[in-house]
Amino acid sequence: MNYHLVFLIIFMFLFTAPASGGERLDGRYQTTVKDVIDGDTFSARIKVWLGQEIETLVRINGIDTAELRSTCPHEKALAQDAKARVTQIIAGKTVTLSNITYGKYAGRIVADVDTDEAGSVANILINAKLARLYHGKQRTAWC
């Protein structure tokens, strides 16, 4: 194991200034989806300026989907269905991010996610009953 890398990650996590929870980035950003993590999170490459791109995790704003790590078979099946649907909608495609804020976990952002073809990804998942409205409070159990 590379202990220098582990030390660097721990140092960055503990000693970097925390982001202000109230900050929001206005505008619309074209994003290439790299990988779908689960029903409400994906990794993306975001063009932030000419010749400038970043790769980060994006959580879809306003929704919660079932957890893949659940021990409840019903929740796990819903989580797999949500991930499959999101993969079908956005994987390998360009989507638009807007209303971007910091996530509560280091390195992740929260944003409204839209596609040219289908519109709001959050609305698609809610209408398919694969996601619930979520505004940062305690999650409701899926089982």
Side-chain angles (χ1 to χ4, degrees):
M1 172 173 242
N2 186 338
Y3 293 103
H4 296 292
L5 180 60
V6 171
F7 176 79
L8 179 63
I9 291 170
I10 292 171
F11 179 84
M12 288 173 56
F13 182 76
L14 293 175
F15 296 105
T16 54
S20 168
E23 285 186 86
R24 189 177 93 219
L25 185 59
D26 292 321
R28 299 173 60 78
Y29 293 84
Q30 294 300 305
T31 304
T32 304
V33 176
K34 305 301 280 180
D35 186 36
V36 175
I37 308 302
D38 61 23
D40 54 25
T41 306
F42 60 94
S43 66
R45 191 158 201 63
I46 306 167
K47 185 174 188 173
V48 293
W49 193 253
L50 298 173
Q52 302 293 313
E53 294 182 339
I54 61 165
E55 193 164 319
T56 189
L57 291 177
V58 178
R59 187 173 199 290
I60 301 170
N61 189 31
I63 63 168
D64 178 52
T65 59
E67 296 296 323
L68 290 166
R69 298 179 313 254
S70 177
T71 56
C72 168
H74 175 68
E75 180 173 1
K76 192 173 232 168
L78 284 171
Q80 290 167 342
D81 290 347
K83 180 179 179 179
R85 184 70 174 118
V86 170
T87 300
Q88 176 189 20
I89 298 167
I90 68 171
K93 297 180 181 172
T94 299
V95 298
T96 302
L97 303 183
S98 59
N99 253 345
I100 301 168
T101 60
Y102 289 108
K104 61 183 173 181
Y105 299 108
R108 185 169 79 172
I109 61 172
V110 178
D112 294 339
V113 181
D114 293 289
T115 69
D116 287 340
E117 303 85 28
S120 167
V121 175
N123 287 344
I124 293 168
L125 293 172
I126 289 169
N127 291 337
K129 300 194 181 342
L130 294 172
R132 296 180 180 151
L133 290 175
Y134 178 71
H135 300 289
K137 307 275 188 240
Q138 185 173 358
R139 294 175 64 236
T140 305
W142 287 89
C143 286

